[in-house]
Amino acid sequence: MAVDRARVLEEAAALLARRSTSSMDEIARAAGISRATLHRHFAGRDALIRALEQLGIEQLAQAMDAARLDEGDAAGALRRLVAEAQQVAGVLAFLFTENQLFEGEEVNAGWARLDTRIHALFRRGQEEGDFRIDLSATWLTEAFYGLVGAGAWAVQDGRVARNDLTHSIAELLLGGIRRSMEK
Amino acid sequence: MAVDRARVLEEAAALLARRSTSSMDEIARAAGISRATLHRHFAGRDALIRALEQLGIEQLAQAMDAARLDEGDAAGALRRLVAEAQQVAGVLAFLFTENQLFEGEEVNAGWARLDTRIHALFRRGQEEGDFRIDLSATWLTEAFYGLVGAGAWAVQDGRVARNDLTHSIAELLLGGIRRSMEK
DNA sequence: ATGGAATGAGACGTGAATGTCTCATCCAGT
DNA sequence: ACTGGATGAGACATTCACGTCTCATTCCAT
Protein backbone atom coordinates (compact mmCIF):
# COMPACT_ATOMS: atom_id res chain seq x y z
CA MET A 1 0.00 0.00 0.00
CA ALA A 2 2.13 2.79 -1.29
CA VAL A 3 -0.73 5.26 -1.08
CA ASP A 4 -1.07 7.10 2.18
CA ARG A 5 -4.73 7.70 2.93
CA ALA A 6 -3.89 10.60 5.18
CA ARG A 7 -1.82 12.27 2.51
CA VAL A 8 -4.59 11.86 -0.06
CA LEU A 9 -7.01 13.44 2.37
CA GLU A 10 -4.70 16.36 2.91
CA GLU A 11 -4.47 17.00 -0.81
CA ALA A 12 -8.21 16.61 -1.22
CA ALA A 13 -8.78 19.05 1.59
CA ALA A 14 -6.46 21.60 0.07
CA LEU A 15 -8.13 21.31 -3.33
CA LEU A 16 -11.71 21.30 -2.12
CA ALA A 17 -11.00 24.28 0.09
CA ARG A 18 -10.29 26.15 -3.13
CA ARG A 19 -12.80 24.52 -5.46
CA SER A 20 -15.58 22.86 -3.54
CA THR A 21 -16.97 21.27 -6.71
CA SER A 22 -13.81 19.48 -7.80
CA SER A 23 -14.52 16.11 -9.39
CA MET A 24 -13.13 12.82 -8.18
CA ASP A 25 -10.77 12.89 -11.12
CA GLU A 26 -9.42 16.30 -10.20
CA ILE A 27 -9.02 15.26 -6.61
CA ALA A 28 -7.15 12.12 -7.66
CA ARG A 29 -4.80 14.06 -9.89
CA ALA A 30 -4.22 16.63 -7.17
CA ALA A 31 -3.24 13.80 -4.87
CA GLY A 32 -0.95 12.38 -7.52
CA ILE A 33 -2.86 9.14 -7.94
CA SER A 34 -5.29 7.75 -10.49
CA ARG A 35 -9.04 7.90 -10.16
CA ALA A 36 -9.14 4.11 -9.87
CA THR A 37 -6.82 4.13 -6.89
CA LEU A 38 -8.79 6.91 -5.27
CA HIS A 39 -11.86 4.72 -5.52
CA ARG A 40 -9.95 1.81 -4.06
CA HIS A 41 -9.28 3.77 -0.91
CA PHE A 42 -12.58 5.60 -0.63
CA ALA A 43 -15.79 3.87 -1.58
CA GLY A 44 -17.06 6.97 -3.35
CA ARG A 45 -17.28 10.69 -3.25
CA ASP A 46 -19.57 10.54 -0.30
CA ALA A 47 -17.18 8.37 1.65
CA LEU A 48 -14.35 10.73 0.79
CA ILE A 49 -16.27 13.72 2.06
CA ARG A 50 -17.15 11.86 5.22
CA ALA A 51 -13.52 10.97 5.79
CA LEU A 52 -12.62 14.57 5.12
CA GLU A 53 -15.20 15.66 7.61
CA GLN A 54 -13.76 13.31 10.17
CA LEU A 55 -10.30 14.68 9.50
CA GLY A 56 -11.53 18.24 9.85
CA ILE A 57 -13.20 17.41 13.12
CA GLU A 58 -10.06 15.80 14.47
CA GLN A 59 -7.88 18.67 13.34
CA LEU A 60 -10.15 21.26 14.85
CA ALA A 61 -10.26 19.23 18.04
CA GLN A 62 -6.48 19.23 18.08
CA ALA A 63 -6.48 22.95 17.47
CA MET A 64 -8.73 23.33 20.48
CA ASP A 65 -6.47 21.17 22.58
CA ALA A 66 -3.48 23.23 21.53
CA ALA A 67 -5.36 26.41 22.36
CA ARG A 68 -5.96 25.21 25.92
CA LEU A 69 -9.44 26.66 26.03
CA ASP A 70 -9.80 26.21 29.77
CA GLU A 71 -6.66 28.05 30.78
CA GLY A 72 -6.30 31.71 31.54
CA ASP A 73 -8.97 34.23 30.77
CA ALA A 74 -11.52 33.52 28.07
CA ALA A 75 -10.25 36.31 25.85
CA GLY A 76 -6.77 34.83 25.74
CA ALA A 77 -8.18 31.38 25.09
CA LEU A 78 -10.23 32.72 22.21
CA ARG A 79 -7.17 34.38 20.74
CA ARG A 80 -5.27 31.12 20.91
CA LEU A 81 -8.19 29.28 19.38
CA VAL A 82 -8.38 31.64 16.44
CA ALA A 83 -4.67 31.29 15.89
CA GLU A 84 -4.73 27.51 16.03
CA ALA A 85 -7.87 27.23 13.92
CA GLN A 86 -6.13 29.11 11.15
CA GLN A 87 -4.52 25.93 9.87
CA VAL A 88 -7.85 24.23 9.38
CA ALA A 89 -9.76 27.27 8.18
CA GLY A 90 -9.82 26.23 4.54
CA VAL A 91 -11.29 22.79 5.09
CA LEU A 92 -13.53 24.20 7.74
CA ALA A 93 -15.05 26.66 5.29
CA PHE A 94 -15.59 23.85 2.82
CA LEU A 95 -17.23 21.55 5.35
CA PHE A 96 -19.26 24.44 6.67
CA THR A 97 -20.93 25.09 3.33
CA GLU A 98 -21.08 21.36 2.61
CA ASN A 99 -23.03 20.73 5.78
CA GLN A 100 -25.40 23.44 4.66
CA LEU A 101 -26.63 21.00 2.00
CA PHE A 102 -27.50 18.18 4.37
CA GLU A 103 -30.69 19.79 5.47
CA GLY A 104 -32.62 17.10 7.20
CA GLU A 105 -29.95 14.48 7.71
CA GLU A 106 -28.32 14.02 11.05
CA VAL A 107 -25.08 15.88 11.37
CA ASN A 108 -21.88 14.20 12.42
CA ALA A 109 -21.88 13.97 16.18
CA GLY A 110 -18.30 15.19 16.17
CA TRP A 111 -19.43 18.68 15.24
CA ALA A 112 -21.74 18.79 18.20
CA ARG A 113 -18.83 18.08 20.52
CA LEU A 114 -16.77 20.83 18.99
CA ASP A 115 -19.65 23.26 19.11
CA THR A 116 -20.07 22.43 22.75
CA ARG A 117 -16.47 23.26 23.51
CA ILE A 118 -16.57 26.60 21.76
CA HIS A 119 -19.93 27.31 23.28
CA ALA A 120 -18.49 26.54 26.69
CA LEU A 121 -15.62 28.93 26.09
CA PHE A 122 -17.96 31.80 25.34
CA ARG A 123 -20.10 30.81 28.26
CA ARG A 124 -17.12 30.87 30.56
CA GLY A 125 -16.20 34.31 29.36
CA GLN A 126 -19.67 35.49 30.12
CA GLU A 127 -19.77 33.94 33.57
CA GLU A 128 -16.41 35.37 34.46
CA GLY A 129 -17.68 38.78 33.50
CA ASP A 130 -15.31 39.25 30.56
CA PHE A 131 -17.83 38.74 27.75
CA ARG A 132 -21.10 40.53 27.29
CA ILE A 133 -24.18 38.51 28.01
CA ASP A 134 -26.62 40.12 25.61
CA LEU A 135 -25.14 38.07 22.77
CA SER A 136 -25.93 34.39 23.18
CA ALA A 137 -23.08 31.94 23.28
CA THR A 138 -24.81 30.06 20.50
CA TRP A 139 -24.69 33.06 18.22
CA LEU A 140 -21.09 33.74 19.12
CA THR A 141 -20.26 30.19 18.10
CA GLU A 142 -21.92 30.71 14.74
CA ALA A 143 -20.15 34.02 14.33
CA PHE A 144 -16.85 32.36 15.07
CA TYR A 145 -17.32 29.85 12.27
CA GLY A 146 -18.59 32.54 9.94
CA LEU A 147 -15.62 34.80 10.48
CA VAL A 148 -13.12 31.98 10.18
CA GLY A 149 -14.73 30.86 6.94
CA ALA A 150 -15.06 34.32 5.49
CA GLY A 151 -11.47 34.99 6.46
CA ALA A 152 -10.24 31.86 4.72
CA TRP A 153 -12.02 32.85 1.52
CA ALA A 154 -10.80 36.40 1.69
CA VAL A 155 -7.25 35.17 2.00
CA GLN A 156 -7.78 32.68 -0.80
CA ASP A 157 -8.87 35.45 -3.11
CA GLY A 158 -6.11 37.74 -2.01
CA ARG A 159 -8.37 40.32 -0.46
CA VAL A 160 -6.79 39.96 2.96
CA ALA A 161 -3.21 39.18 3.87
CA ARG A 162 -2.78 35.79 5.48
CA ASN A 163 -0.49 37.20 8.13
CA ASP A 164 -3.11 39.66 9.33
CA LEU A 165 -5.91 37.16 9.45
CA THR A 166 -5.52 35.78 12.95
CA HIS A 167 -5.24 39.22 14.43
CA SER A 168 -8.11 40.52 12.33
CA ILE A 169 -10.51 37.79 13.36
CA ALA A 170 -9.58 37.73 17.01
CA GLU A 171 -9.64 41.48 17.42
CA LEU A 172 -12.92 41.88 15.61
CA LEU A 173 -14.50 39.19 17.72
CA LEU A 174 -13.12 40.49 20.97
CA GLY A 175 -13.19 44.20 20.54
CA GLY A 176 -15.56 44.86 17.70
CA ILE A 177 -15.19 47.75 15.36
CA ARG A 178 -15.59 50.55 17.81
CA ARG A 179 -12.56 52.42 18.83
CA SER A 180 -11.71 51.14 22.25
CA MET A 181 -11.52 53.54 25.19
CA GLU A 182 -9.31 51.32 27.29
CA LYS A 183 -5.73 50.40 26.45
CA MET B 1 -46.93 36.74 -20.78
CA ALA B 2 -48.70 35.65 -17.67
CA VAL B 3 -45.45 34.76 -16.00
CA ASP B 4 -43.80 37.49 -14.01
CA ARG B 5 -40.05 37.22 -14.31
CA ALA B 6 -39.55 39.12 -11.10
CA ARG B 7 -41.82 36.78 -9.22
CA VAL B 8 -40.04 33.73 -10.58
CA LEU B 9 -36.75 35.22 -9.47
CA GLU B 10 -38.10 35.81 -6.00
CA GLU B 11 -39.18 32.20 -5.69
CA ALA B 12 -35.91 30.97 -7.07
CA ALA B 13 -34.03 33.13 -4.62
CA ALA B 14 -36.04 31.82 -1.71
CA LEU B 15 -35.48 28.23 -2.76
CA LEU B 16 -31.80 28.51 -3.58
CA ALA B 17 -31.18 30.31 -0.33
CA ARG B 18 -32.31 27.11 1.36
CA ARG B 19 -30.97 24.53 -1.09
CA SER B 20 -28.23 25.96 -3.24
CA THR B 21 -28.15 22.85 -5.42
CA SER B 22 -31.80 22.84 -6.42
CA SER B 23 -32.35 21.68 -10.00
CA MET B 24 -34.07 23.71 -12.68
CA ASP B 25 -37.07 21.46 -12.27
CA GLU B 26 -37.30 22.11 -8.55
CA ILE B 27 -36.93 25.83 -9.12
CA ALA B 28 -39.66 25.78 -11.73
CA ARG B 29 -42.05 23.90 -9.46
CA ALA B 30 -41.25 26.23 -6.58
CA ALA B 31 -42.17 29.14 -8.83
CA GLY B 32 -45.37 27.38 -9.84
CA ILE B 33 -44.43 27.03 -13.49
CA SER B 34 -43.17 24.25 -15.72
CA ARG B 35 -39.56 23.64 -16.54
CA ALA B 36 -40.25 24.49 -20.16
CA THR B 37 -41.59 27.90 -19.24
CA LEU B 38 -38.69 28.51 -16.95
CA HIS B 39 -36.38 27.88 -19.87
CA ARG B 40 -38.43 30.21 -22.03
CA HIS B 41 -37.74 33.06 -19.66
CA PHE B 42 -34.17 32.25 -18.75
CA ALA B 43 -31.81 30.85 -21.34
CA GLY B 44 -30.41 28.34 -18.88
CA ARG B 45 -29.32 27.78 -15.34
CA ASP B 46 -26.41 30.07 -15.83
CA ALA B 47 -28.61 32.87 -17.08
CA LEU B 48 -30.94 32.35 -14.16
CA ILE B 49 -28.12 32.62 -11.66
CA ARG B 50 -26.88 35.75 -13.38
CA ALA B 51 -30.31 37.31 -13.21
CA LEU B 52 -30.52 36.31 -9.59
CA GLU B 53 -27.18 37.89 -8.99
CA GLN B 54 -28.38 41.07 -10.61
CA LEU B 55 -31.45 41.04 -8.45
CA GLY B 56 -29.40 40.51 -5.32
CA ILE B 57 -27.14 43.38 -6.26
CA GLU B 58 -30.09 45.68 -6.83
CA GLN B 59 -31.77 44.66 -3.61
CA LEU B 60 -28.62 45.14 -1.59
CA ALA B 61 -28.15 48.50 -3.26
CA GLN B 62 -31.67 49.44 -2.25
CA ALA B 63 -30.98 48.27 1.27
CA MET B 64 -27.97 50.55 1.31
CA ASP B 65 -30.03 53.44 0.05
CA ALA B 66 -32.62 52.81 2.70
CA ALA B 67 -29.90 52.65 5.34
CA ARG B 68 -28.66 56.15 4.37
CA LEU B 69 -25.04 55.17 4.84
CA ASP B 70 -23.82 58.75 4.66
CA GLU B 71 -26.04 60.16 7.36
CA GLY B 72 -25.34 60.39 11.04
CA ASP B 73 -22.43 58.64 12.67
CA ALA B 74 -20.94 55.56 11.06
CA ALA B 75 -22.08 53.28 13.86
CA GLY B 76 -25.70 54.22 13.35
CA ALA B 77 -25.38 53.83 9.62
CA LEU B 78 -23.91 50.37 10.09
CA ARG B 79 -26.76 49.42 12.37
CA ARG B 80 -29.26 50.54 9.76
CA LEU B 81 -27.37 48.69 7.07
CA VAL B 82 -27.43 45.44 9.00
CA ALA B 83 -31.14 45.84 9.61
CA GLU B 84 -31.92 46.56 5.97
CA ALA B 85 -29.62 43.86 4.67
CA GLN B 86 -31.54 41.31 6.68
CA GLN B 87 -34.14 40.98 3.94
CA VAL B 88 -31.56 39.97 1.37
CA ALA B 89 -29.41 37.90 3.66
CA GLY B 90 -30.57 34.56 2.30
CA VAL B 91 -29.86 35.27 -1.34
CA LEU B 92 -26.72 37.05 -0.35
CA ALA B 93 -25.39 33.97 1.38
CA PHE B 94 -26.22 31.91 -1.69
CA LEU B 95 -24.54 34.30 -4.09
CA PHE B 96 -21.61 34.63 -1.74
CA THR B 97 -20.80 30.93 -1.89
CA GLU B 98 -21.72 30.79 -5.56
CA ASN B 99 -19.20 33.48 -6.38
CA GLN B 100 -16.65 31.43 -4.53
CA LEU B 101 -16.76 28.98 -7.45
CA PHE B 102 -15.99 31.49 -10.16
CA GLU B 103 -12.33 31.59 -9.34
CA GLY B 104 -10.70 33.17 -12.31
CA GLU B 105 -13.68 34.70 -14.05
CA GLU B 106 -14.38 38.36 -13.72
CA VAL B 107 -16.89 39.14 -11.04
CA ASN B 108 -19.99 41.17 -11.73
CA ALA B 109 -19.02 44.80 -11.57
CA GLY B 110 -22.09 45.45 -9.45
CA TRP B 111 -20.46 43.74 -6.49
CA ALA B 112 -17.48 46.00 -6.74
CA ARG B 113 -19.74 49.03 -6.43
CA LEU B 114 -21.45 47.61 -3.37
CA ASP B 115 -18.15 46.67 -1.81
CA THR B 116 -16.98 50.20 -2.38
CA ARG B 117 -19.94 51.65 -0.56
CA ILE B 118 -19.53 49.41 2.46
CA HIS B 119 -15.83 49.97 2.39
CA ALA B 120 -16.44 53.70 2.35
CA LEU B 121 -18.70 53.42 5.36
CA PHE B 122 -16.06 51.69 7.41
CA ARG B 123 -13.52 54.15 6.16
CA ARG B 124 -15.66 57.04 7.23
CA GLY B 125 -16.05 55.55 10.67
CA GLN B 126 -12.30 55.29 10.93
CA GLU B 127 -11.65 58.81 9.74
CA GLU B 128 -14.23 60.23 12.11
CA GLY B 129 -12.50 58.46 14.95
CA ASP B 130 -15.38 56.14 15.74
CA PHE B 131 -13.90 52.95 14.33
CA ARG B 132 -10.55 51.43 15.13
CA ILE B 133 -7.95 51.72 12.44
CA ASP B 134 -5.95 48.59 13.10
CA LEU B 135 -8.57 46.54 11.27
CA SER B 136 -8.58 47.33 7.55
CA ALA B 137 -11.81 48.50 6.00
CA THR B 138 -11.36 45.71 3.46
CA TRP B 139 -11.37 43.09 6.16
CA LEU B 140 -14.35 44.69 7.86
CA THR B 141 -16.23 44.48 4.59
CA GLU B 142 -15.47 40.78 4.34
CA ALA B 143 -16.44 40.27 7.93
CA PHE B 144 -19.73 42.02 7.30
CA TYR B 145 -20.61 39.62 4.51
CA GLY B 146 -19.42 36.67 6.52
CA LEU B 147 -21.53 37.53 9.53
CA VAL B 148 -24.60 38.27 7.48
CA GLY B 149 -24.23 34.97 5.65
CA ALA B 150 -23.51 32.95 8.76
CA GLY B 151 -26.43 34.62 10.45
CA ALA B 152 -28.79 33.75 7.63
CA TRP B 153 -27.76 30.10 7.80
CA ALA B 154 -28.01 29.98 11.55
CA VAL B 155 -31.55 31.32 11.35
CA GLN B 156 -32.38 28.91 8.55
CA ASP B 157 -31.33 25.98 10.71
CA GLY B 158 -33.09 27.34 13.75
CA ARG B 159 -29.94 27.87 15.76
CA VAL B 160 -30.57 31.58 16.16
CA ALA B 161 -33.86 33.43 16.47
CA ARG B 162 -34.63 35.62 13.48
CA ASN B 163 -35.71 38.48 15.68
CA ASP B 164 -32.37 38.61 17.45
CA LEU B 165 -30.31 38.46 14.32
CA THR B 166 -30.06 42.12 13.42
CA HIS B 167 -29.11 43.07 16.93
CA SER B 168 -26.69 40.16 17.21
CA ILE B 169 -24.82 41.02 14.05
CA ALA B 170 -24.73 44.75 14.57
CA GLU B 171 -23.66 44.52 18.20
CA LEU B 172 -21.00 41.96 17.52
CA LEU B 173 -19.59 44.04 14.72
CA LEU B 174 -19.69 47.28 16.65
CA GLY B 175 -18.86 46.25 20.15
CA GLY B 176 -17.25 42.86 19.88
CA ILE B 177 -17.56 40.23 22.52
CA ARG B 178 -15.85 42.02 25.32
CA ARG B 179 -17.94 43.45 28.03
CA SER B 180 -18.00 47.11 27.37
CA MET B 181 -16.66 49.55 29.94
CA GLU B 182 -18.46 52.55 28.58
CA LYS B 183 -22.22 52.96 28.37
C1' DA C 1 14.85 -13.31 -9.97
C1' DT C 2 10.10 -14.02 -8.87
C1' DG C 3 5.48 -13.80 -7.37
C1' DG C 4 1.97 -11.18 -5.39
C1' DA C 5 0.07 -6.79 -4.34
C1' DA C 6 -0.81 -2.17 -5.71
C1' DT C 7 -1.28 1.00 -9.25
C1' DG C 8 -2.42 3.43 -13.83
C1' DA C 9 -4.90 3.72 -17.89
C1' DG C 10 -8.93 3.34 -19.86
C1' DA C 11 -13.30 1.21 -21.30
C1' DC C 12 -18.02 0.68 -19.93
C1' DG C 13 -22.65 1.28 -17.99
C1' DT C 14 -25.54 4.35 -15.15
C1' DG C 15 -27.97 8.21 -13.43
C1' DA C 16 -28.95 12.96 -13.06
C1' DA C 17 -29.52 17.37 -14.86
C1' DT C 18 -29.54 20.20 -18.73
C1' DG C 19 -31.22 22.15 -22.97
C1' DT C 20 -34.28 21.55 -27.04
C1' DC C 21 -38.26 20.34 -29.23
C1' DT C 22 -43.15 19.06 -30.24
C1' DC C 23 -47.89 19.09 -29.45
C1' DA C 24 -52.06 19.70 -27.02
C1' DT C 25 -54.33 22.89 -24.06
C1' DC C 26 -55.57 27.13 -22.01
C1' DC C 27 -56.41 31.91 -21.76
C1' DA C 28 -57.11 36.69 -23.09
C1' DG C 29 -58.21 40.27 -26.11
C1' DT C 30 -60.78 41.35 -30.16
C1' DA D 1 -66.96 32.77 -30.68
C1' DC D 2 -62.36 33.14 -32.51
C1' DT D 3 -57.63 33.48 -32.82
C1' DG D 4 -52.90 34.00 -31.39
C1' DG D 5 -49.76 33.79 -27.77
C1' DA D 6 -48.33 31.52 -23.65
C1' DT D 7 -48.15 27.48 -21.05
C1' DG D 8 -47.81 22.42 -19.48
C1' DA D 9 -46.54 17.90 -20.25
C1' DG D 10 -43.44 15.07 -21.88
C1' DA D 11 -40.19 13.00 -25.23
C1' DC D 12 -35.51 13.31 -26.72
C1' DA D 13 -30.51 13.94 -27.20
C1' DT D 14 -26.45 15.47 -24.74
C1' DT D 15 -23.32 16.11 -21.33
C1' DC D 16 -20.92 15.04 -17.17
C1' DA D 17 -19.49 12.80 -13.17
C1' DC D 18 -19.77 8.66 -10.86
C1' DG D 19 -18.87 3.82 -9.90
C1' DT D 20 -17.26 -0.65 -11.68
C1' DC D 21 -14.40 -3.46 -14.10
C1' DT D 22 -10.40 -5.32 -16.82
C1' DC D 23 -5.75 -5.67 -18.00
C1' DA D 24 -1.08 -4.44 -18.36
C1' DT D 25 2.59 -2.54 -15.66
C1' DT D 26 5.22 -1.44 -11.74
C1' DC D 27 6.98 -2.12 -7.31
C1' DC D 28 8.34 -4.47 -3.27
C1' DA D 29 9.41 -8.25 -0.36
C1' DT D 30 11.01 -12.75 -0.19
Side-chain angles (χ1 to χ4, degrees):
Chain A
M1 184 184 289
V3 168
D4 183 1
R5 265 181 67 112
R7 164 150 181 75
V8 172
L9 279 179
E10 291 290 348
E11 296 292 344
L15 178 60
L16 289 172
R18 274 177 294 143
R19 280 174 45 90
S20 60
T21 57
S22 303
S23 70
M24 290 294 276
D25 192 82
E26 292 171 309
I27 295 172
R29 289 181 189 286
I33 63 178
S34 74
R35 195 163 66 93
T37 301
L38 181 58
H39 270 93
R40 286 190 187 99
H41 289 276
F42 300 94
R45 187 176 223 284
D46 205 62
L48 176 63
I49 302 293
R50 299 296 177 155
L52 212 49
E53 187 176 27
Q54 198 54 43
L55 177 66
I57 289 174
E58 289 167 8
Q59 288 182 339
L60 183 54
Q62 287 175 17
M64 288 184 181
D65 293 340
R68 309 184 310 281
L69 299 187
D70 297 328
E71 299 181 18
D73 59 3
L78 179 57
R79 261 191 255 271
R80 292 193 297 273
L81 174 59
V82 171
E84 295 290 340
Q86 215 49 242
Q87 319 276 349
V88 231
V91 215
L92 231 52
F94 165 72
L95 295 172
F96 197 47
T97 63
E98 197 72 8
N99 265 339
Q100 198 58 21
L101 302 181
F102 301 161
E103 25 180 344
E105 312 180 32
E106 77 294 342
V107 199
N108 190 319
W111 291 121
R113 265 191 294 276
L114 298 179
D115 285 359
T116 301
R117 292 179 69 179
I118 301 185
H119 192 276
L121 169 62
F122 288 126
R123 195 57 178 272
R124 178 165 78 91
Q126 291 175 326
E127 289 171 351
E128 292 175 355
D130 290 335
F131 293 171
R132 53 200 292 184
I133 59 174
D134 62 324
L135 295 178
S136 76
T138 300
W139 159 242
L140 296 181
T141 304
E142 294 293 327
F144 170 79
Y145 284 124
L147 285 180
V148 169
W153 285 354
V155 167
Q156 205 107 65
D157 296 357
R159 292 190 296 269
V160 170
R162 170 161 271 126
N163 291 337
D164 299 350
L165 195 51
T166 296
H167 174 265
S168 296
I169 295 177
E171 285 307 311
L172 177 58
L173 266 176
L174 285 171
I177 291 179
R178 272 232 178 76
R179 188 165 193 173
S180 175
M181 298 305 157
E182 48 178 331
K183 178 166 190 293
Chain B
M1 184 185 289
V3 168
D4 183 0
R5 266 181 68 111
R7 167 152 181 73
V8 173
L9 280 178
E10 291 291 347
E11 295 293 344
L15 178 59
L16 289 171
R18 274 178 293 144
R19 279 175 44 89
S20 60
T21 57
S22 303
S23 69
M24 290 295 275
D25 192 83
E26 291 172 310
I27 295 173
R29 288 181 191 287
I33 62 178
S34 75
R35 196 164 66 94
T37 301
L38 181 58
H39 269 93
R40 286 190 188 99
H41 289 276
F42 299 94
R45 189 175 223 285
D46 205 61
L48 176 63
I49 302 292
R50 299 296 178 155
L52 212 49
E53 187 175 28
Q54 197 55 42
L55 178 67
I57 289 175
E58 289 167 8
Q59 288 182 339
L60 183 54
Q62 285 174 18
M64 288 184 182
D65 293 339
R68 309 185 310 281
L69 299 188
D70 297 328
E71 299 180 19
D73 60 1
L78 180 57
R79 260 191 256 271
R80 291 192 298 273
L81 174 59
V82 171
E84 295 290 341
Q86 215 49 241
Q87 319 275 349
V88 234
V91 214
L92 231 52
F94 164 70
L95 295 173
F96 197 47
T97 63
E98 197 73 6
N99 265 338
Q100 198 58 21
L101 302 181
F102 302 162
E103 27 180 343
E105 314 180 30
E106 79 293 343
V107 199
N108 190 319
W111 291 122
R113 264 191 295 276
L114 298 180
D115 285 0
T116 301
R117 292 179 69 179
I118 301 185
H119 192 275
L121 169 62
F122 288 126
R123 194 59 177 272
R124 177 165 78 89
Q126 290 175 327
E127 288 171 351
E128 291 175 355
D130 291 335
F131 293 171
R132 52 201 291 185
I133 58 173
D134 62 325
L135 295 179
S136 77
T138 299
W139 159 242
L140 296 181
T141 303
E142 295 292 327
F144 170 79
Y145 284 124
L147 285 180
V148 169
W153 285 354
V155 168
Q156 206 110 65
D157 296 357
R159 292 190 295 268
V160 170
R162 169 160 272 127
N163 291 336
D164 298 351
L165 194 50
T166 296
H167 174 266
S168 296
I169 295 177
E171 285 307 311
L172 177 58
L173 266 176
L174 284 172
I177 291 178
R178 271 232 179 76
R179 189 168 193 170
S180 174
M181 299 305 158
E182 47 176 334
K183 179 169 188 299

